[in-house]
Amino acid sequence: MSDPSPPSLRALAAASFKIGCLGFGGPAGQIALMHRVFVEERKWIDEARYLHALNYCMLLPGPEAQQLATYVGWLLRGVRGGVIAGALFVIPGALIVFGLSWLYVLHGQTPLVASLFVGVKAAVLGFIIDALARIGRRALKGRIDVAIALAAFAALFVFGAPFPLVILAAALLGAFLTSPAPAEIPLAVTAPPASRAFASAAIWGAAWLAPVGAVLVFFGPQHVLAQVSLLFSQLAIVTFGGAYAVLAYLQQQAVDVHAWLTPAQMIDGLGLAETTPGPLILVNQFVGFLAGWGEGGLGLAIAAAALASWCTFAPSFVWIFAGAPYAEHLRRNRFAAGALRAVTAAVLGVIASLALWFALHVLFAQNTRIATPWGRILDAPLLASFNWASAAIAVLAAIALIRFKANAVLVVLASAAAGWAAHALL
């Protein structure tokens, strides 16, 4: 049973800061760490309530682990507790990613650092293969799920369809192909008056969008800060399926459309995010930093990185404070259940498209571009440029993650060392 007396705000802040500093290993590791701290060690909430919070956060767009921290803080100490737990989950990793981003733009192209990143990039491919395996086991429950996943892959990689359109189409299809209603589950939280939920949504929505509006007014829609604000606000609304799912859309926009960074830099950023505590989606901050750096140096880079992080994480407070009390009702709705099952299958296709894109840029030194009859430009590898060392590192990283459940940070560090060794020997 959970402790009947809620913790003090200071105790909640200390526990949340600890989680923020030790939260390596992606969402799975962070969710397990929160369970150990909040449920097993502190006994502030019980197992059933924790699982209820987790299930709700899995239905939301955005970083589910940060949303879970916010939800638990809200359960324990209301809105103030939610803000403390959600913010301290992100801040330690965000500060580290900021420092690494600055070092990267200053020293990332030196031979030693570049050789280390050869291994890091290969490890990133291993992480994506691991994500494919994990989500595939959960998503592919029948032929319809397989068909949706294949259609999502083709729509994104072959035809270049917009990511939000792919997710929306999958959700609508799933809502029509509904399953029987989920089993009745006892309510864990009593729903408040609708006016309170709407007020919470309005307040936190205004806080999220105020910096976006200010940037648009003072700098105009074509300024890099405005484009960063709008892109990451849009991503916060459509990022169902976790960080790996949204990376396909982020790559499409940041690399192909805005040209803020190169494909190699995008992969480097994901490698940096894998080695730091906090949510993997902190790669958004790296992208924002490079976008600002390319347009105006350090000052603009700091502003763009801050906006990218704010527009990524602030919407989570809207979803939690306004919607958490209604979570159980949503879980019981058979149309929502069908839509979410289809979205989960589509996410697998999205991640598969990302895996192929990464493989083309990690395993081959050169790619050529070919035009399709429908106007899409596709990358095709030059087979003579295949990098055997990167392929070996990627395969070993995937085996370590999938077969041996190896620690993510150790995998990245070992891969970086292997990249340096390969550079020194070849």
Side-chain angles (χ1 to χ4, degrees), residues 145 148-149 152-153 156 166-167 170 341-351:
D145 300 319
I148 292 173
F153 170 81
L156 277 170
V166 173
I167 295 299
R341 175 175 172 175
V343 167
T344 302
V347 161
L348 188 67
V350 171
I351 297 175

Side-chain angles (χ1 to χ4, degrees), residues 26-35 38-39 45-72 74-75 138 188-189 320 324 327-328 330-331 340:
Q30 292 150 5
I31 290 167
L33 176 61
M34 280 188 276
H35 182 275
F38 290 137
V39 179
I45 62 173
D46 58 29
E47 183 82 17
R49 199 165 230 195
Y50 184 82
L51 292 177
H52 157 67
L54 175 59
N55 287 338
Y56 174 61
C57 294
M58 294 296 288
L59 306 181
L60 298 175
E64 66 269 26
Q66 186 243 354
Q67 290 164 347
L68 178 59
T70 305
Y71 195 137
V72 172
W74 173 77
L75 282 174
R138 186 174 77 242
V189 182
I320 296 300
E328 296 295 342
L330 179 61
R331 289 170 62 199
L340 289 164

